[in-house]
């Protein structure tokens, strides 16, 4: 029998919609490692916490592609780990694997069909990057900018990224710069984050939305208007950005973290003024989600981009890490290290 620690959903957020660590409970159980044909026993190395998970804390996620977490049951998300034992011909003991549906447990018996093998050398041993820059967030950023941003080298375009110091935003800005945007401006919530955007990631400028008037700052740093907006936050920040977009611009809808604590569908409804701006200026607005891993994209991302991440240790801190990420406590991807 294995001694297993796991995280279950104890309660849903209260009337104010704010998640708290107490919504989660850490349990310790004894679990049989016995495997059926096709199954593997995996040991968790890193687990991911992501903004979309806030929607899964509700009875209704508001999105038809997301299932809610059930009260009293183990929650799940992105994870990476090592196969300890196997009855699956395609997955031998000792290999590293990942999944988008990894239960928050120290050990898991999983169906091998849910797992994808990862070569640690591909990420130079930084397995946590499988959950960030070379995982779902990085792929969402890459595909969003490449397929929906319409970046045209030499056309002097300006790109703005909200939530720019997060997992997706920090990658999206770098891709926009590499693909030919003349100006890449990131919006985030601290001077430390603004400095990291400029000095470490090559952004043109960083705007701290908690300091000063965001509309004035956008006019200062985007004197020719805004052509591409990579939207991670929604709400008043997005209203301010879209109001300064040029005709024919493009909005890439990646996330709406400022709205996740509200009882609204996804994507949340826009203000009347923002709807009018999109219509009158013929601005396109696309929703982009990456749900598959492409090895060529993984190689591209890891080889040429700078990766920022915030790592918390211990499965008992999953709830704290999640709530910190939801309030901007992370720089880059937020992950939790479970075992060595």
């Amino acid at each position: 029998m294995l001694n297993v620690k796991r995280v279950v959903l104890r309660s849903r957020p209260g009337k104010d919609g704010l998640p708290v660590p107490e919504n989660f409970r850490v349990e310790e159980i004894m679990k049989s490692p016995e495997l059926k044909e096709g199954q593997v026993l995996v040991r968790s190395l890193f687990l991911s916490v992501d903004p979309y998970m806030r929607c899964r804390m509700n009875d209704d996620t508001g999105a038809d592609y997301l299932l809610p977490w059930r009260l009293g049951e183990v929650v799940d998300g992105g994870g990476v780990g090592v196969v300890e034992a196997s009855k699956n011909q395609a997955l031998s003991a000792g290999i590293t694997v990942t999944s988008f549906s990894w239960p928050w447990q120290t050990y898991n018996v999983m169906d091998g069909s849910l797992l994808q093998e990862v070569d640690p050398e591909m990420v130079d041993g930084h397995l946590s990057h499988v959950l960030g820059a070379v995982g779902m967030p990085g792929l969402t950023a890459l595909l969003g900018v490449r397929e929906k941003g319409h970046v045209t080298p030499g056309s002097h375009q300006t790109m703005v990224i909200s939530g720019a110091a997060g997992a997706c935003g920090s990658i999206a800005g770098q891709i926009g710069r590499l693909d030919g945007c003349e100006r890449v401006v990131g919006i985030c919530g601290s001077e430390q984050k603004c400095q990291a955007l400029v000095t470490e990631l090559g952004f043109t400028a960083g705007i701290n939305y908690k300091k000063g008037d965001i509309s004035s700052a956008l006019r200062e740093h985007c004197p020719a208007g805004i052509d591409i907006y990579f939207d991670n936050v929604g709400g008043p920040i997005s209203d301010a950005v879209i109001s300064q977009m040029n005709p024919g611009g493009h909005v890439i809808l990646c996330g709406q973290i400022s709205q996740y604590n509200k009882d609204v569908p996804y994507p949340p409804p826009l203000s009347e003024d923002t709807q009018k701006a999109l219509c009158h200026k013929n601005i396109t607005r696309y929703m982009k989600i990456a749900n598959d891993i492409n090895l060529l994209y993984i190689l591209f991302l890891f080889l040429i981009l700078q990766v920022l991440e915030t790592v918390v240790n211990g499965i008992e801190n999953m709830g704290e890490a999640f709530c910190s990420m939801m309030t901007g406590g992370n720089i880059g991807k937020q992950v939790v290290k479970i075992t060595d």
Side-chain angles (χ1 to χ4, degrees), residues 141-153:
L142 179 65
L143 296 175
V145 174
R146 283 283 174 90
E147 296 181 359
K148 305 300 183 183
H150 301 277
V151 178
T152 305

Side-chain angles (χ1 to χ4, degrees), residues 77-145:
V80 61
V82 62
V83 175
E84 295 285 309
S86 176
K87 281 193 174 181
N88 187 298
Q89 292 184 350
L91 301 171
S92 58
I95 68 169
T96 304
V97 290
T98 187
S99 172
F100 290 131
S101 302
W102 194 289
W104 287 9
Q105 297 188 160
T106 49
Y107 289 88
N108 289 292
V109 172
M110 298 182 69
D111 189 324
S113 64
L114 299 175
L115 301 168
Q116 180 169 354
E117 184 175 356
V118 173
D119 181 359
E121 293 186 3
M122 184 180 295
V123 288
D124 198 25
H126 298 288
L127 291 174
S128 59
H129 292 179
V130 173
L131 303 177
V134 293
M136 181 180 65
L139 291 172
T140 300
L142 179 65
L143 296 175
V145 174

